[in-house]
Each structure stands twice: as C-alpha cells, then as structure tokens.
Amino acid sequence: MLRILVIHGPNLNLLGEREPDVYGTLTLADLNGQIARLAEKLAVSVEFFQSNHEGAIIDHLHENRKTADGVVINPGALTHYSYALRDAIAGVELPTVEVHLSDIDRREPFRRHSVTKEVCLAQMSGKGVHSYLQGLEFLVTYLSQLHIDFS
Ligand code: DQA
C-alpha cells in the first residue's frame, strides 16, 4: 500500500478559528478526517504531521525519505520564503504536491510567489479542503502510473 505523508505547516493547527473568512471553519481534525476518508477509498495510507517549526518539517521529511512514497504538503507561509524547505523537498526526492486552502495568486503580493512550487509535481490552490483532496488524487494517480508493472 502506498504510504503518503500529509504535512501541514505553521499556523494550520489553528484552522477553524484562524481567519475563517479566508480559511473556512473546518478544523484541522475535520480536514484530516476528509483526507483520511478519501485515502481509504483510494486504498492508500496517509500519515498526518503538523508543525509550526520549519526545522521539524524538514526533519520529518528526512526521517521518512526512505519509507514514504509521496508527500502532500501545505507549507503555510514557508511557501513564500523557505529555501531550506525547498531544498529538503528537492533533496529527499519524494514526489510532492503543494496545496493551499486559499487562492494564493489572488491575495497579497508576497503570497503570489512560491519558492517550493518548482520542486513539486503540482500546486493546488484556492479550493479549501478540495485542494488537499485533489492533491492527494493527483499524487496517487502519478504514483500508480509509476508502479505499473509492464512485465
Ligand atoms: C496557506 C496560504 C499561505 O500564504 C498562508 O501563509 C498560510 C496558509 C493556504 O493554505 O492558503 O498559512 O498556505
């Protein structure tokens, strides 16, 4: 069974109470519940991790680099400036999809640039929980194609 890491970056622990007009009213537990339900349908395993600390997210990627099959990550604000996270995503060589609840291309100018996007397979943005769900489906389709045995 494919093993997918779902990583939530800084401040996403406060979902539900944090700027609900921008991020909606779902809590992180609600969000993870919806992702877990989709994972069950897709017959993949998902493991959730949230941290407010850049280094902890990087350590998590390093620790799982040999055992995970792919990553869905919402890097939060790290998206816009963390070259360390960008290097970690590139370095561990796990297929990764970047997701955002809000539409970062239609917000403040500093949010319109992602330094992590270039090292990801795709970016899903602006669809709330559906950004995560579409990200997971995209990743699983990609990984399933990689694992097709033509022999
Ligand atoms: C976010 C967008 C980022 O700009 C912001 O810093 C976040 C959340 C999103 O999911 O829309 O923390 O990644």
Side-chain angles (χ1 to χ4, degrees), residues 143-151:
L143 290 170
S144 308
Q145 284 165 358
L146 280 188
H147 287 85
I148 290 173
D149 183 0
F150 291 104
S151 59

Side-chain angles (χ1 to χ4, degrees), residues 91-110:
V92 300
E93 294 185 339
L94 288 172
T96 297
V97 176
E98 177 180 316
V99 300
H100 299 283
L101 294 157
S102 64
D103 185 351
I104 58 171
D105 291 325
R106 287 169 191 261
R107 297 186 61 196
E108 304 95 314
F110 78 89

